[in-house]
């Protein structure tokens, strides 16, 4: 066996089912080895797409998604997607080719300092120089990506090494143990919980799994504590539950969740941090006690007045809380206060639903009706832009890991590729990509991938012919000096059909029922729905807080 064959054999032993990539001379031998394996190879039209597909697989399964890219340009094309995984602690293994060893350091064709470039945005960097080390390195890299806190790991293999003789070696999946909250520290938490009367639970990605969600629901119902979520926490708590407050923070948070966090006498954040996003640039910091249990190595550097902070496994912490039998007594007036906030927010939502435009769809109304037709276990993948806020205000996520987005980097170009990876990883769940027209045009070429690979993802393009967040800021902050934010688009229906994708476009509220039926109906092939909206429509959000970010 050669190095490429041993690397692929090792990935098979680790349980890898798919590898996403784009072929190049520096990885030709590796791709050839994949052809003879049980692993499905998904060839994409851009490296950013391949790595985002692998990222989505990692987010949904908890096991590292695997992508392979060509040296130099291919590697550089992958970096936005790697950074997304790093910022959102998503397990990912990126394998890249490199120039032949005899050409290294000579400013050779395709050569860039790949390891130096990527090191700040990955957990670890590996290089295979010795053929007999390949199995050990692949197993260690994969295990490192999967070990908490999860994240991307990079492996570089020079082009000439792939074809060298090697031998299989034990390829074991070894997840490192996670620190846990001690019994002594749990007593400190219990003491604070016994005193609280106006508490809020804040759930994040660290408990957005089956066990974490079950334990969180059990505690919230036992204590009758209201629950807010971060962006990555959507799905950790059923959003149709009476105790659910909403998503907190910039880019889609609502005043109910935001104000509840500020007014609470205790915020217990589990698997979540109080970042600049959650607190609108640290302008909406809770005033009461703050307990944080998560795996953020930079938490201590953040300007948050923690009462207790633990670098620990949040799911294990919830297990201990459930078993501890702590008595929490919530003041009934706290629930009444929250209900008053909720009434005000609902009035805002009703106003948004009442809007009407000639020649355009009211997006609030569209997503409101879409939510009514969605099954409970969907996966929705949101892009970056103002359109994503409608999916926070009107679409309820009711299943674990039911919503994905590039929350902590804010990069455009994630949603459509991630939806493709999500559907391949969870074929039993309907997967919706909600993208703005500007973002979709960045990865539209991979409609061909969706068609060729028969990935029945559902794409909703919210088309306002603009980069609307910046358009709105120019109108509000630059005295209406609109520049560089308006553009034209192709006919998305004709474009989709040219790729073999079934498509539909609507520009009137009267068309919402048939559009919802079209996009939610079962299909064995990808579908695209274009929703034309007016660029001046403003989604419901916590505007006062957002302007402070």
């Amino acid at each position: 066996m050669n190095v490429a064959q041993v690397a692929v054999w090792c990935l098979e032993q680790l349980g890898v089912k798919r590898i996403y990539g784009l072929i190049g001379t520096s990885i030709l031998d590796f791709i050839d080895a994949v052809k003879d394996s049980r692993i499905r190879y998904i060839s994409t039209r851009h490296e950013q797409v391949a790595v985002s597909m692998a990222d989505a697989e990692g987010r949904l399964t908890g096991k590292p998604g695997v992508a392979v890219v060509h040296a130099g340009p291919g590697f550089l094309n992958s970096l936005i997607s790697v950074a997304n995984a790093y910022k959102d602690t998503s397990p990912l293994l990126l394998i890249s080719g490199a120039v032949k060893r005899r050409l290294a350091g000579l400013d050779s064709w395709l050569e860039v300092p790949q390891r130096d470039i990527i090191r700040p945005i990955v957990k670890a960097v590996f290089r295979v120089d010795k053929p007999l080390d390949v199995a050990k390195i692949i197993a260690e890299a994969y295990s490192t990506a999967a070990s908490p806190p999860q994240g991307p790991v990079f492996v570089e293999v020079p082009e000439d090494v792939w074809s060298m003789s090697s031998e299989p070696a034990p390829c074991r999946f070894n997840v490192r143990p996670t620190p846990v909250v001690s019994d002594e520290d749990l007593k400190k938490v219990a003491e604070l919980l016994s005193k609280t009367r106006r508490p809020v639970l804040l759930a994040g990605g660290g408990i957005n799994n089956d066990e974490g969600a079950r334990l969180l629901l059990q505690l919230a119902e036992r204590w009758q504590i209201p629950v807010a979520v971060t962006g990555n926490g959507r799905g950790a708590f059923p959003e149709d539950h009476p105790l659910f407050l909403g998503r907190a923070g910039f880019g889609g948070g609502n005043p109910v969740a935001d104000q509840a966090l500020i007014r609470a006498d205790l915020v217990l954040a589990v698997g979540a941090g109080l970042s600049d996003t959650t607190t609108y640039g640290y302008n909406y910091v809770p005033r009461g006690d703050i307990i944080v249990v998560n795996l953020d190595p930079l938490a201590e550097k953040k300007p948050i007045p923690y009462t207790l902070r633990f670098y620990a496994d949040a799911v294990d912490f919830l297990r201990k809380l459930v078993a501890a039998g702590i008595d929490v007594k919530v003041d009934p007036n706290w629930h009444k206060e929250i209900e008053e906030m909720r009434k005000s927010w609902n009035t805002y939502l009703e106003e948004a639903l009442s809007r009407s435009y000639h020649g355009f769809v009211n997006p609030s109304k569209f997503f409101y009706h879409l939510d009514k037709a969605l099954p409970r276990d969907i996966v929705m993948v949101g892009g970056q832009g103002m359109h994503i806020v409608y999916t926070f205000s009107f679409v309820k996520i009711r299943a674990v890991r039911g919503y994905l987005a590039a929350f902590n980097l804010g990069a455009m170009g994630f949603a459509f590729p991630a939806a493709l990876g999500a559907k391949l990883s969870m074929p039993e769940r309907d997967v919706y990509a909600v993208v703005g027209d500007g973002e979709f045009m960045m990865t539209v070429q991979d409609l061909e991938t969706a068609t060729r690979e028969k990935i029945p993802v559902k794409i909703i393009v919210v088309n306002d012919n603009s980069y609307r967040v910046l358009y709105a800021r120019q109108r509000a902050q630059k005295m209406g000096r609109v520049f560089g934010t308006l553009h034209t688009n192709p006919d998305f229906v004709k474009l989709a059909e040219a790729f073999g994708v079934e498509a539909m476009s609507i520009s009137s509220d009267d068309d919402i029922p048939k559009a919802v039926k079209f996009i939610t109906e079962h299909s064995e092939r990808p579908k695209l729905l274009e929703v034309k909206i007016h660029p001046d429509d403003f989604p419901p959000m916590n505007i006062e807080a957002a302007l402070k970010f």
Side-chain angles (χ1 to χ4, degrees):
M1 296 177 75
N2 63 25
V3 167
Q5 291 167 332
V6 172
V8 172
W9 174 86
C10 182
L11 291 169
E12 283 186 307
Q13 304 311 302
L14 293 167
V16 173
K17 295 182 173 61
R18 285 165 293 275
I19 294 175
Y20 307 91
L22 201 160
I23 199 166
T25 54
S26 67
I27 55 171
L28 191 63
D29 290 316
F30 180 84
I31 300 298
D32 185 68
V34 174
K35 180 176 173 58
D36 294 327
S37 74
R38 297 188 302 273
I39 297 174
R40 180 179 176 183
Y41 175 62
I42 310 295
S43 175
T44 65
R45 308 309 293 265
H46 195 283
E47 290 86 356
Q48 181 182 0
V49 171
V51 181
S52 285
M53 291 177 75
D55 178 2
E57 178 165 330
R59 293 179 192 230
L60 285 174
T61 66
K63 298 178 180 178
V66 180
V68 60
V69 297
H70 182 34
F75 163 82
L76 293 171
N77 275 343
S78 74
L79 291 179
I80 289 177
S81 299
V82 174
N84 281 334
Y86 180 73
K87 294 281 281 185
D88 287 333
T89 62
S90 173
L92 170 73
L93 175 58
L94 177 65
I95 300 171
S96 173
V99 298
K100 297 175 182 177
R101 289 172 297 171
R102 64 182 176 82
L103 300 176
L106 302 177
D107 193 25
S108 302
W109 185 64
L110 300 176
E111 186 178 24
V112 293
Q114 297 182 162
R115 285 169 290 158
D116 292 337
I117 290 170
I118 204 170
R119 189 169 277 112
I121 55 170
V122 293
K123 288 184 67 180
V125 171
F126 296 88
R127 178 178 166 94
V128 180
D129 277 314
K130 298 178 181 179
L132 294 179
D133 288 347
V134 61
K136 176 185 175 183
I137 288 175
I138 292 293
E140 185 176 352
Y142 188 88
S143 298
T144 300
S147 296
Q150 296 183 326
V153 172
F154 178 64
V155 176
E156 177 183 81
V157 185
E159 181 180 344
D160 57 312
V161 171
W162 288 120
S163 59
M164 298 179 71
S165 180
S166 185
E167 295 178 3
C171 221
R172 298 187 182 94
F173 184 31
N174 181 29
V175 176
R176 294 153 183 75
T178 310
V180 297
V181 173
S182 68
D183 291 342
E184 193 62 36
D185 285 331
L186 190 68
K187 290 178 182 177
K188 297 176 184 176
V189 175
E191 185 178 349
L192 288 172
L193 284 171
S194 67
K195 297 175 182 177
T196 181
R197 295 295 177 263
R198 298 160 59 86
V200 168
L201 288 165
L202 177 65
I207 60 166
N208 200 352
N209 53 58
D210 290 335
E211 185 181 9
R214 177 180 59 78
L215 293 168
L216 177 67
L217 179 63
Q218 189 174 342
L219 284 175
E221 291 185 334
R222 177 192 295 178
W223 295 333
Q224 287 298 294
I225 296 182
V227 179
V229 296
T230 64
N232 284 320
R234 291 200 77 186
F237 195 80
E239 296 185 359
D240 55 355
H241 195 285
L243 290 171
F244 182 66
L245 298 171
R247 185 223 155 160
F250 179 76
N254 70 49
V256 184
D258 293 334
Q259 285 294 327
L261 286 174
I262 290 177
R263 300 182 193 182
D265 65 5
L266 182 145
V267 172
L268 175 56
V270 280
L274 291 168
S275 66
D276 62 322
T277 306
T278 312
T279 62
Y280 296 90
Y282 303 108
N283 288 305
Y284 266 54
V285 177
R287 300 166 188 158
D289 288 322
I290 300 172
I291 305 172
V292 170
V293 184
N294 74 342
L295 293 171
D296 180 6
L298 298 179
E300 64 181 14
K301 295 185 177 181
K302 295 173 181 176
I304 298 293
Y306 303 105
T307 308
L308 295 172
R309 180 181 60 81
F310 306 108
Y311 182 83
D313 185 331
V315 175
D316 178 78
F317 173 73
L318 288 180
R319 269 190 229 115
K320 290 176 177 176
L321 275 187
V322 167
I326 301 165
D327 187 24
V328 177
K329 296 179 180 178
V330 178
D331 185 345
N333 289 324
W334 179 224
H335 288 293
K336 291 178 182 177
E337 187 174 336
I338 288 172
E339 283 308 308
E340 288 303 311
M341 291 189 278
R342 205 188 302 272
K343 286 179 184 177
S344 178
W345 173 239
N346 287 339
T347 299
Y348 191 2
L349 295 180
E350 289 167 7
E351 184 279 323
L353 288 168
S354 71
R355 299 170 193 163
S356 181
Y357 299 94
H358 179 69
F360 297 98
V361 177
N362 176 346
S364 295
K365 191 175 293 184
F366 169 77
F367 282 103
Y368 172 83
H369 287 286
L370 175 68
D371 178 65
K372 304 300 180 188
L374 292 175
R376 193 171 189 86
D377 62 347
I378 65 147
V379 176
M380 182 167 283
V381 189
Q384 288 299 314
M386 204 171 286
H387 65 279
I388 193 176
V389 181
Y390 298 106
T391 67
F392 286 108
S393 299
F394 295 105
V395 177
K396 295 179 176 64
I397 302 302
R398 303 167 176 89
V400 168
R401 297 189 179 109
Y403 198 98
L404 308 180
F407 285 109
N408 289 309
L409 183 64
M412 298 174 73
F414 173 81
F416 171 48
L420 296 177
K423 185 61 181 177
L424 288 172
S425 306
M426 298 283 180
E428 72 281 3
R429 297 172 74 171
D430 285 344
V431 178
Y432 291 79
V434 181
V435 295
D437 53 307
E439 174 172 14
F440 187 51
M441 289 295 289
M442 296 178 179
T443 57
V444 68
Q445 74 284 335
D446 275 271
L447 282 174
E448 188 276 331
T449 302
T451 303
R452 168 174 34 88
E453 296 291 339
K454 299 180 175 59
I455 308 173
V457 70
K458 300 180 178 191
I459 308 154
I460 299 172
V461 182
V462 183
N463 182 8
D464 51 32
N465 288 292
S466 68
Y467 296 117
R468 190 157 46 123
V469 171
L470 286 310
Y471 167 78
R473 282 186 176 267
Q474 286 176 333
R475 295 198 60 184
Q477 298 173 351
K478 297 297 178 183
M479 300 178 67
R481 287 165 54 85
V482 174
F483 184 68
T485 51
L486 298 177
H487 51 248
T488 59
N489 282 308
D491 184 319
F492 281 115
V493 170
K494 289 182 179 179
L495 181 63
E497 290 175 344
F499 281 104
V501 174
E502 188 178 1
M504 176 182 179
S505 178
I506 61 170
S507 56
S508 168
D509 290 350
D510 293 339
D511 295 328
I512 288 176
K514 66 179 181 181
V516 169
K517 185 174 186 294
F518 166 79
I519 201 65
T520 56
E521 279 183 334
H522 176 75
S523 176
E524 297 296 329
R525 53 190 285 210
K527 282 186 172 187
L528 182 147
L529 172 65
E530 177 190 27
V531 181
K532 294 182 178 180
I533 72 166
H534 198 287
D536 290 340
D537 188 79
F538 206 81
M541 66 170 76
N542 190 346
I543 298 173
E544 178 187 352
L547 290 174
K548 294 181 179 180
F549 187 78

